[in-house]
Amino acid sequence: MNELADFKIRNTFCDLSSEELVEKVHQRMDEKRFLHCIRTSKTAEGLAELYHANVDRAQVAGLIHDYAKEIPIEDFKKIIVYENLDPDLLNWNRAIWHGVVGTYFIEHELGITDQAILDAVKKHTTGAPEMTTLDKIVFVADYIEPARDFSGAIKTREAAKTSLDSAVGLELTQSIEHLVSEKLPIYPETIISYNVWGTN
Ligand code: GDP
Ligand code: FE
Ligand code: FE
């Protein structure tokens, strides 16, 4: 497991050690997704250095961004109802829930309450009209981590070397094009984000 060699979280932003946090993330998902999370963490760290964001937050946010992706659908539905979240969420699926609702599980199971990290996780799938540098870093890192080899990822990786905002715009544009080509419904937040970052 090359990705895991020397991988250590410097500041876990919770009471867990680096080993405990990584192990808990690992337990919630299959091996493939776990390694994607490690690569996203490393990519987010690199972007944070380049764009002068907090490298420790980027490292943790990248690691945990998909923490909730394999949590059972029924568990998400319960949280949406019991926590009085927007009822329209019930019309969507885990592709949308794992970020915006997934932070509930991150707070309760990992004990991470840092709002900047939680916001970046919430926005990592759809983007948002207002994004901090950390939000943009996690959004882009997820899309350009080294194992992403489709043409959209290659273009976005290139753009991210010189402009984080251009990378966000390109990612949103390509994601919407992809969703349209598959005749999939587009979550309103994705469209609102595209209108801000993908147009000029
Ligand atoms: P991943 O969790 O690492 O696979 O990456 P993401 O969190 O970015 O995306 C998760 C899934 O959500 C992908 O399959 C996207 O195509 C899908 N997705 C992103 N935005 C939308 C949207 O607006 N509508 C729908 N239906 N799916 C979306
Ligand atoms: Fe995701
Ligand atoms: Fe991801």
Side-chain angles (χ1 to χ4, degrees):
M1 254 193 289
N2 189 24
E3 279 96 341
L4 267 176
D6 297 329
F7 185 78
K8 191 173 187 327
I9 297 290
R10 286 177 300 276
N11 176 354
T12 62
F13 291 87
C14 62
D15 293 335
L16 304 170
S17 66
S18 170
E19 291 71 22
E20 287 166 340
L21 177 60
V22 171
E23 183 52 28
K24 272 187 176 263
V25 170
H26 198 169
Q27 276 169 5
R28 267 296 198 186
M29 61 189 67
D30 70 19
E31 197 66 13
K32 189 165 173 253
R33 193 175 317 281
F34 174 64
L35 294 177
H36 159 68
C37 289
I38 301 286
R39 289 189 299 265
T40 302
S41 173
K42 291 181 183 176
T43 305
E45 236 187 306
L47 288 173
E49 275 165 21
L50 187 59
Y51 291 105
H52 311 292
N54 185 305
V55 181
D56 290 352
R57 281 202 171 86
Q59 189 190 34
V60 171
L63 173 69
I64 64 175
H65 79 287
D66 277 341
Y67 178 76
K69 188 112 184 201
E70 295 177 19
I71 286 178
I73 288 166
E74 287 312 314
D75 293 358
F76 275 107
K77 289 185 177 169
K78 277 185 213 156
I79 298 305
I80 292 166
V81 173
Y82 295 152
E83 295 293 312
N84 291 312
L85 305 182
D86 180 357
D88 176 59
L89 280 166
L90 292 170
N91 299 318
W92 294 86
N93 54 35
R94 214 158 33 174
I96 299 299
W97 298 335
H98 78 283
V100 71
V101 186
T103 52
Y104 176 90
F105 300 100
I106 288 172
E107 282 192 72
H108 288 80
E109 296 179 11
L110 302 178
I112 293 175
T113 56
D114 182 89
Q115 201 55 49
I117 293 175
L118 297 177
D119 283 348
V121 172
K122 273 187 193 289
K123 297 175 190 177
H124 92 265
T125 303
T126 63
E130 288 186 23
M131 296 172 89
T132 63
T133 303
L134 182 68
D135 297 336
K136 291 172 191 172
I137 283 171
V138 177
F139 183 71
V140 171
D142 182 23
Y143 197 71
I144 67 165
E145 60 93 340
R148 306 283 206 195
D149 57 3
F150 51 97
S151 71
I154 294 164
K155 276 190 229 164
T156 307
R157 191 177 293 124
E158 206 47 42
K161 289 178 184 165
T162 53
S163 166
L164 189 56
D165 285 1
S166 304
V168 170
L170 207 50
E171 177 176 340
L172 282 162
T173 304
Q174 290 164 160
S175 296
I176 287 189
E177 282 171 358
H178 168 75
L179 293 164
V180 170
S181 76
E182 298 282 323
K183 292 200 177 297
L184 286 165
I186 299 175
Y187 190 64
E189 193 78 355
T190 308
I191 299 177
I192 297 167
S193 306
Y194 163 76
N195 288 346
V196 171
W197 304 105
T199 60
N200 47 45

